[in-house]
Amino acid sequence: MGAMSQLAPTASSRYAARDVSRRDAGDRQAGLDPRDPFEVDRARIVHSSAFRRLQGKTQIFGVGEGDFFRTRLTHSLEVAQIGKGLALFLNRLPELADAPIATELVEAACLAHDLGHPPFGHNGEAALQAVMHAHGGFEGNAQNLRILTRLEAKRENYGLDLTRATLESVLKYLEPYGARKAARGEGPGAAEAVEKCYYDDDAPIVDWIRTGAVHAHRSLESEIMEWADDIAYSVHDLEDGLHADLVRLDHFDHEGTLARIAAYAHKKGGGDVPLDEVRTLMRDLLEPLRAPRVAKVKELRKALTSTLINRFITATTLEQRPDAPGYDLRLHVPPAIRREAAILMGVEFVLMIRNPRVTTLEHKGKLVVSRLFEAHAQPDVGDLFPEDVREAWEPVRHDERARLRVVCDYLASMTDAHALKLYRRLFEPGAGSVQPDL
């Protein structure tokens, strides 16, 4: 590991040889591809099977609930567009005049940021964490890294073999699962608590990614990716909620609803949020959406999303890290803007994610994932797996930790529809067919 690819270097002086290096020293495209290395990374992600599967994975509303609502795929595309916009905006600042951010790198990280999410959203994630609690854990961001560096089939043993800088930009958390689990302890709810981590088994890969890193913290591009994700979540998911009539102006007349929103906003980094601030913000945003014609309402909703995204991007600046040597920049989002985004996330959590129309489907998805895992967990059920998964499962079938990781990878890769189809085939009398899956 650690050899540098001979692909054309990126134009920005911000990136050194280490940033464009790949783990596969024998890259067959070395010297033949005129593209920027980060453009290559972006293409590899877009053409991956994990990326295609995002079209069948839940964002908030279940896939198939309507052709308007976002899936993980459309969400990821929107995050990438917002991330590019952020990078372009920040590159106009004097701090980056001599070392601009590579927009292709940010786009690649944004496109890859949700690859590790299992079917049925965060409830699927909680189900897999519960069964993997004692066997290395499960977490969507940790699974991202595993997909990018191991599971995708671009380069055997190297996954997509992305550049070090792209993997560093996807790496949100710099602690291994074991350390996070030990810090939490074994109190109530520990088994289903999703730790923000990378897997212990991926420590050598993380060590390679971090080799030559000047600072101990995550990269600026990773911070941009996360803020772009927060913007897309807070703004576009609100649009979905408005379309579904789950977010209405009258909701903000109820003190209990306002209190739950404020509590969630606090949890998401918004600080102490007065209830009147929630009420005032949502009235200011939603009052202008009143219109006699549906077409006009749609136009006003789109204008609202554009306004919010522009406000969140253009308020973002850079600042010097006070605890870092040298010239080391981090993203700075003003507290008032963070609070506004956190309030919108609280609105979506309380009025959308916790709505019975959504929670009943999520509960169903959690049961599906749990029962599928149970059915595939034993060392004598190899015939249940497709051939490619069986190849990975067979050598480790008697090693419980390794075997369960293969099972976890298999289930986490599924779309919602595939998981439901397999569930019916295994557990519902009369369901199933001998026709191969396409």
Side-chain angles (χ1 to χ4, degrees):
M1 289 197 293
M4 187 181 79
S5 166
Q6 298 302 308
L7 296 174
T10 180
S12 175
S13 61
R14 180 178 181 80
Y15 306 102
R18 72 167 292 276
D19 298 306
V20 297
S21 63
R22 302 181 189 276
R23 292 194 301 148
D24 183 5
D27 192 327
R28 295 186 297 276
Q29 293 174 259
L32 302 176
D33 198 322
R35 293 174 296 174
D36 180 289
F38 304 142
E39 292 177 355
V40 174
D41 287 353
R42 180 180 59 189
R44 290 182 179 185
I45 292 163
V46 168
H47 291 295
S48 69
S49 57
F51 187 73
R52 290 195 302 277
R53 289 190 185 105
L54 293 178
Q55 67 186 311
K57 294 192 178 189
T58 294
Q59 174 64 10
I60 288 184
F61 298 101
V63 175
E65 288 294 301
D67 58 8
F68 176 88
F69 302 119
R70 287 159 173 87
T71 65
R72 287 280 170 186
L73 178 63
T74 54
H75 166 73
S76 296
L77 292 170
E78 289 172 332
V79 173
Q81 184 61 32
I82 292 170
K84 180 179 180 179
L86 271 165
L88 289 170
F89 176 77
L90 294 171
N91 279 344
R92 296 162 55 186
L93 300 179
E95 295 94 328
L96 295 178
D98 297 325
I101 296 163
T103 58
E104 299 88 353
L105 170 57
V106 172
E107 283 185 274
C110 291
L111 290 169
H113 86 284
D114 262 355
L115 294 182
H117 268 284
F120 309 112
H122 291 290
N123 273 270
E125 186 177 26
L128 286 178
Q129 166 55 16
V131 293
M132 290 297 292
H133 173 66
H135 307 287
F138 180 83
E139 199 268 340
N141 293 282
Q143 194 70 12
N144 284 350
L145 185 64
R146 186 167 171 81
I147 289 169
L148 295 172
T149 60
R150 294 176 183 263
L151 301 180
E152 275 292 332
K154 181 70 176 179
R155 295 281 186 271
E156 189 173 5
N157 301 320
Y158 297 105
L160 292 181
D161 194 30
L162 304 179
T163 62
R164 182 184 265 116
T166 296
L167 292 174
E168 198 166 24
S169 299
V170 175
L171 192 64
K172 284 177 63 174
Y173 306 114
L174 302 181
E175 273 193 281
Y177 175 75
R180 295 283 300 174
K181 179 184 173 186
R184 180 182 292 273
E186 295 293 339
E192 287 195 18
V194 177
E195 305 294 352
K196 302 303 183 183
C197 64
Y198 60 85
Y199 299 139
D200 294 346
D201 293 345
D202 288 334
I205 295 172
V206 174
D207 287 345
W208 179 83
I209 294 170
R210 300 290 294 163
T211 296
V214 178
H215 304 291
H217 53 75
R218 59 194 290 208
S219 71
L220 175 60
E221 290 83 358
S222 179
E223 293 181 342
I224 293 171
M225 176 269 290
E226 185 174 30
W227 178 225
D229 186 24
D230 286 348
I231 293 173
Y233 172 24
S234 60
V235 176
H236 289 136
D237 290 356
L238 175 66
E239 184 185 12
D240 281 2
L242 292 168
H243 180 82
D245 199 35
L246 293 183
V247 179
R248 300 190 307 273
L249 198 56
D250 61 281
H251 285 137
F252 305 100
D253 295 329
H254 304 286
E255 294 290 313
T257 299
L258 294 172
R260 290 193 296 274
I261 292 170
Y264 190 83
H266 177 79
K267 178 182 175 182
K268 297 301 288 186
D272 293 326
V273 181
L275 302 194
D276 281 345
E277 185 173 346
V278 178
R279 182 187 291 111
T280 300
L281 172 64
M282 296 313 299
R283 284 179 175 172
D284 287 348
L285 294 179
L286 301 188
E287 281 281 6
L289 300 185
R290 296 174 182 270
R293 294 182 298 110
V294 173
K296 186 63 177 179
V297 172
K298 291 181 178 180
E299 177 187 332
L300 292 171
R301 280 205 306 256
K302 284 300 180 185
L304 173 61
T305 61
S306 296
T307 298
L308 285 171
I309 290 170
N310 181 265
R311 181 153 79 226
F312 290 164
I313 287 177
T314 57
T316 308
T317 58
L318 298 168
E319 64 181 9
Q320 168 70 20
R321 289 181 181 273
D323 56 345
Y327 189 61
D328 185 20
L329 297 172
R330 67 182 178 190
L331 205 66
H332 175 70
V333 181
I337 294 295
R338 285 277 187 197
R339 190 161 60 250
E340 188 170 331
I343 290 171
L344 295 180
M345 293 180 195
V347 169
E348 290 148 18
F349 181 79
V350 172
L351 299 180
M352 296 167 60
I353 295 174
R354 292 295 91 197
N355 187 287
R357 286 168 57 185
V358 176
T359 56
T360 49
L361 292 175
E362 288 185 342
H363 182 70
K364 176 183 177 181
K366 190 174 183 179
L367 290 176
V368 167
V369 172
S370 298
R371 287 203 68 188
L372 287 176
F373 190 94
E374 182 182 359
H376 290 81
Q378 301 308 313
D380 57 352
V381 294
D383 289 345
L384 293 180
F385 296 105
E387 187 174 353
D388 59 331
V389 178
R390 196 181 313 161
E391 285 182 357
W393 177 89
E394 187 64 43
V396 298
R397 60 185 295 188
H398 297 299
D399 179 341
E400 184 180 36
R401 181 185 175 97
R403 181 181 75 246
L404 295 183
R405 179 59 65 191
V406 173
V407 175
C408 184
D409 289 340
Y410 173 51
L411 297 182
S413 72
M414 292 181 181
T415 63
D416 298 10
H418 187 179
L420 286 169
K421 180 179 179 181
L422 182 60
Y423 181 90
R424 289 193 294 267
R425 189 180 180 92
L426 287 173
F427 300 115
E428 293 182 9
S433 167
V434 295
Q435 296 298 320
D437 290 332
L438 298 179

